[in-house]
């Protein structure tokens, strides 16, 4: 059984539909004490980093996720959920994250773009696989996914499994041990996204 962390940050319907489409057994969980019963865990999220961490802390969901990560069972952060895996974010001030992966979340630096682009980064863009990983199994080295974000992760290259180019190259997918994160929305990315979800389920 796969659990989706519910902490009042974003509509979970599209994530649920994507997992159900491939036949996965999935449940929405808002009780931190019950996270440990799941075989795999999804941390989704839409909105601001600081608000998300506030919601996670309100009922100790943050510490429950940290404890879950120590079980070696697979954990996947999606979009804002990926960013929350890191130590801090500069979004609307400085905020402490879950600290499961070393690194920080920063705004797109438009001054360093190679040409004028709009922020947020919104729409279809390529993910370039930078390291072999089970969640990209049977996908090409470069494939398109759907993005919506104004901030991105900066971390040691050893954690990067995917990168994307928007004004400059940034890390768009990460892995550390049993912990995975992906900046684009696989649940909104048609067949490529469904394949990532299927691969996660198969871990």
């Amino acid at each position: 059984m796969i659990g989706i962390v519910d902490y009042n940050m974003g509509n979970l319907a599209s994530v649920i539909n994507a997992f159900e489409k491939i036949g996965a057994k999935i449940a929405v969980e808002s009780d931190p004490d019950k996270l440990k019963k799941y075989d795999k865990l999804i941390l989704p999220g839409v909105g601001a980093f600081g608000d998300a961490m506030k919601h996670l802390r309100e009922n100790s969901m943050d510490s429950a996720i940290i404890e879950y990560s120590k079980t070696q069972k697979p954990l996947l952060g999606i979009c804002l959920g990926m960013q929350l895996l890191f130590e801090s974010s500069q979004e609307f001030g400085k905020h402490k994250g879950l600290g499961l992966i070393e690194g920080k979340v920063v705004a797109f630096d438009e001054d360093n773009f190679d040409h004028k682009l709009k922020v947020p980064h919104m729409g279809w863009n390529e993910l370039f696989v930078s390291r072999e990983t089970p969640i990209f199994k049977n996908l090409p080295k470069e494939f398109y996914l759907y993005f919506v974000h104004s901030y991105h992760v900066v971390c040691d290259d050893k954690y990067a499994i995917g990168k994307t180019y928007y004004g400059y190259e940034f890390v768009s997918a990460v892995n550390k041990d049993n912990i995975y994160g992906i900046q684009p929305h696989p649940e909104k990315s048609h067949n490529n996204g469904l394949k990532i979800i299927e691969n996660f389920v198969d871990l």
Side-chain angles (χ1 to χ4, degrees):
M1 177 67 79
I2 299 168
I4 299 182
V5 179
D6 181 9
Y7 60 109
N8 298 317
M9 288 292 289
N11 180 10
L12 304 180
S14 57
V15 179
I16 295 167
N17 290 341
F19 276 85
E20 289 180 342
K21 191 168 185 176
I22 63 166
K25 292 182 179 179
I26 194 156
V28 175
E29 188 57 72
S30 57
D31 184 345
D33 294 330
K34 294 181 179 178
L35 291 192
K36 54 186 176 287
K37 75 178 184 180
Y38 293 99
D39 302 309
K40 297 178 179 73
L41 200 65
I42 307 292
L43 178 61
V46 175
F49 190 103
D51 290 341
M53 286 304 303
K54 179 175 179 289
H55 283 296
L56 288 174
R57 291 191 192 102
E58 281 175 349
N59 66 345
S60 300
M61 187 65 87
D62 59 334
S63 56
I65 294 168
I66 292 168
E67 287 305 307
Y68 184 92
S69 73
K70 298 174 183 176
T71 67
Q72 300 306 308
K73 294 189 284 189
L75 166 63
L76 174 65
I78 296 174
C79 195
L80 175 59
M82 167 181 155
Q83 297 179 2
L84 296 173
L85 301 174
F86 287 83
E87 295 171 300
S88 66
S89 174
Q90 299 174 1
E91 185 175 8
F92 305 123
K94 186 166 184 179
H95 304 279
K96 185 179 178 182
L98 294 170
L100 298 178
I101 304 176
E102 296 83 6
K104 61 185 178 180
V105 180
V106 302
F108 274 109
D109 185 355
E110 296 178 66
D111 291 336
N112 282 326
F113 280 0
D114 57 4
H115 59 282
K116 182 84 173 156
L117 292 168
K118 291 182 179 179
V119 175
H121 171 215
M122 183 181 300
W124 294 90
N125 202 348
E126 281 186 290
L127 182 146
F128 305 92
V129 176
S130 56
R131 176 158 63 86
E132 293 298 323
T133 172
I135 67 166
F136 294 152
K137 183 180 177 182
N138 295 326
L139 283 163
K141 295 290 186 184
E142 304 172 13
F143 55 93
Y144 279 87
L145 295 168
Y146 189 79
F147 291 78
V148 183
H149 63 120
S150 299
Y151 290 75
H152 66 84
V153 162
V154 175
C155 66
D156 193 301
D157 216 43
K158 67 184 179 182
Y159 301 128
I161 57 174
K163 296 182 179 180
T164 296
Y165 196 88
Y166 191 73
Y168 51 75
E169 187 178 76
F170 69 92
V171 174
S172 54
V174 293
N175 170 227
K176 179 185 179 184
D177 303 324
N178 57 312
I179 303 166
Y180 295 85
I182 186 159
Q183 182 65 62
H185 288 272
E187 77 280 8
K188 297 179 180 178
S189 299
H190 304 324
N191 290 340
N192 288 338
L194 288 175
K195 187 60 186 171
I196 291 172
I197 289 171
E198 183 181 325
N199 287 339
F200 179 74
V201 171
D202 290 343
L203 288 175

